[in-house]
Amino acid sequence: FGLTDRIHSAVCPKVRREEPQLLSDGQRKVFAEQLISDHDPASSGVLLAMFSGLRIGELCALQWQDIDLENALLHIRSTLQRIKVSDLPNRTSVVITSPKTESSRRDIPLPAFMVNILENFRSSPTDYLLSGGPRPIEPRLMNYRFKKLLKRAGLPSVRFHALRHTFATLCLQQDFDIKTLSEILGHSGADVTLKTYVHSSLERKRQCMNRLSPELF
C-alpha cells in the first residue's frame, strides 16, 4: 500500500464524551428538603452550591466576610485546594489562593430563600461558612460529607461538581440568558457555558418538539 492507502484504511478511534452527572428535578427537590431540615452550616453550604453553581474549592474558602446578606450577594474572591508540596514526596498542603481566572472573581446575587437560611448561621467575618469557625473544611473532607448526605437522602452517588451541572440546567429551565448564567458560573465566555453546562433532557426535547404543529406550515 502507498501512504494514502494506509491513511484511508486506518480507523480513527472515536472519542466518546462522558455524560455529565446531575440531579434530576425530583432528586434535587428531595435533596434540598433534606439539606434544609438538617439545619447546620455544612448542609446549608451544599444547598448554597446547588443554587449558586459554586465550585467546591470556592465553597470551602467562603468566609462570612464574603457573604453580604444585607445586599443578598456572594463575593467570590478565593478558592481552597490541596496541592503537592514540591520538595517533599507524598506530601500535600491545603492552600487558599485567588481564583485562577479573573472571570472566576465574581459577585453572585443570592436567592431570597438562601438569604433567610444563611441568616441562621451568621458568624464573625473571618469564620468559614462550612465549619462555622476559624478553620476551613477542605474539599476532600467536604466531598466525603457530601457523599454521606446523598446516601442519607437515598440518592445515587455523584461528584460534587454535579451540583454545578444541576444548577446550570435549572437556570436554563427558568429561562436564564446564557450571558447571565456564564457570569454567575464564572466562565470566561458564554461559549464555555454552552459547551460544558448546557444539557437538554428528553423532557425538554419533547416540550420543544411539541411546539411544532400543522399551523406552522
Side-chain angles (χ1 to χ4, degrees):
F1 294 111
L3 177 60
T4 304
D5 295 326
R6 290 199 297 271
I7 292 175
H8 286 171
S9 62
V11 177
C12 296
K14 292 182 179 179
V15 178
R16 184 174 181 179
R17 186 177 177 184
E18 185 180 350
E19 283 297 315
Q21 292 182 318
L22 68 158
L23 300 177
S24 68
D25 289 347
Q27 290 170 334
R28 173 176 46 80
K29 291 174 183 176
V30 168
F31 201 33
E33 288 173 2
Q34 178 191 294
L35 295 171
I36 292 171
S37 66
D38 283 347
H39 198 75
D40 70 70
S43 292
S44 296
V46 174
L47 185 71
L48 176 62
M50 189 160 60
F51 286 96
S52 66
L54 290 182
R55 303 174 177 94
I56 191 169
E58 295 169 341
L59 178 64
C60 290
L62 203 60
Q63 295 176 288
W64 278 99
Q65 61 191 0
D66 305 314
I67 306 172
D68 182 354
L69 295 181
E70 283 67 35
N71 294 299
L73 279 176
L74 286 181
H75 304 295
I76 308 304
R77 301 292 182 268
S78 305
T79 185
L80 188 152
Q81 56 186 326
R82 179 173 285 279
I83 62 172
K84 269 191 171 184
V85 178
S86 58
D87 54 342
L88 294 173
N90 303 319
R91 289 291 301 275
T92 59
S93 177
V94 174
V95 298
I96 296 177
T97 63
S98 296
K100 289 182 179 180
T101 63
E102 188 59 33
S103 55
S104 292
R105 292 174 55 88
R106 63 203 189 276
D107 295 332
I108 303 176
L110 283 167
F113 81 92
M114 276 305 323
V115 173
N116 295 333
I117 290 171
L118 292 174
E119 184 67 59
N120 296 315
F121 307 103
R122 191 199 291 253
S123 188
S124 63
T126 56
D127 283 346
Y128 290 88
L129 168 65
L130 294 181
S131 67
R135 293 176 63 86
I137 295 176
E138 64 158 300
R140 188 164 57 185
L141 177 57
M142 191 61 217
N143 192 58
Y144 173 75
R145 292 187 177 183
F146 172 64
K147 298 285 188 181
K148 288 184 70 174
L149 288 169
L150 285 170
K151 186 175 182 179
R152 190 148 57 85
L155 298 176
S157 178
V158 295
R159 294 188 296 271
F160 194 93
H161 202 73
L163 297 182
R164 194 163 157 87
H165 284 277
T166 300
F167 170 74
T169 302
L170 174 63
C171 289
L172 292 170
Q173 290 174 351
Q174 299 303 314
D175 295 325
F176 280 48
D177 64 88
I178 294 297
K179 178 63 174 173
T180 296
L181 178 56
S182 176
E183 293 185 2
I184 290 173
L185 290 170
H187 286 159
S188 57
D191 56 326
V192 179
T193 309
L194 283 167
K195 183 177 180 180
T196 312
Y197 290 99
V198 176
H199 320 295
S200 183
S201 67
L202 179 60
E203 184 56 33
R204 176 64 174 168
K205 292 170 185 171
R206 182 174 287 113
Q207 290 172 359
C208 291
M209 292 300 287
N210 282 338
R211 295 174 187 170
L212 305 178
S213 67
E215 286 75 17
L216 297 175
F217 295 166

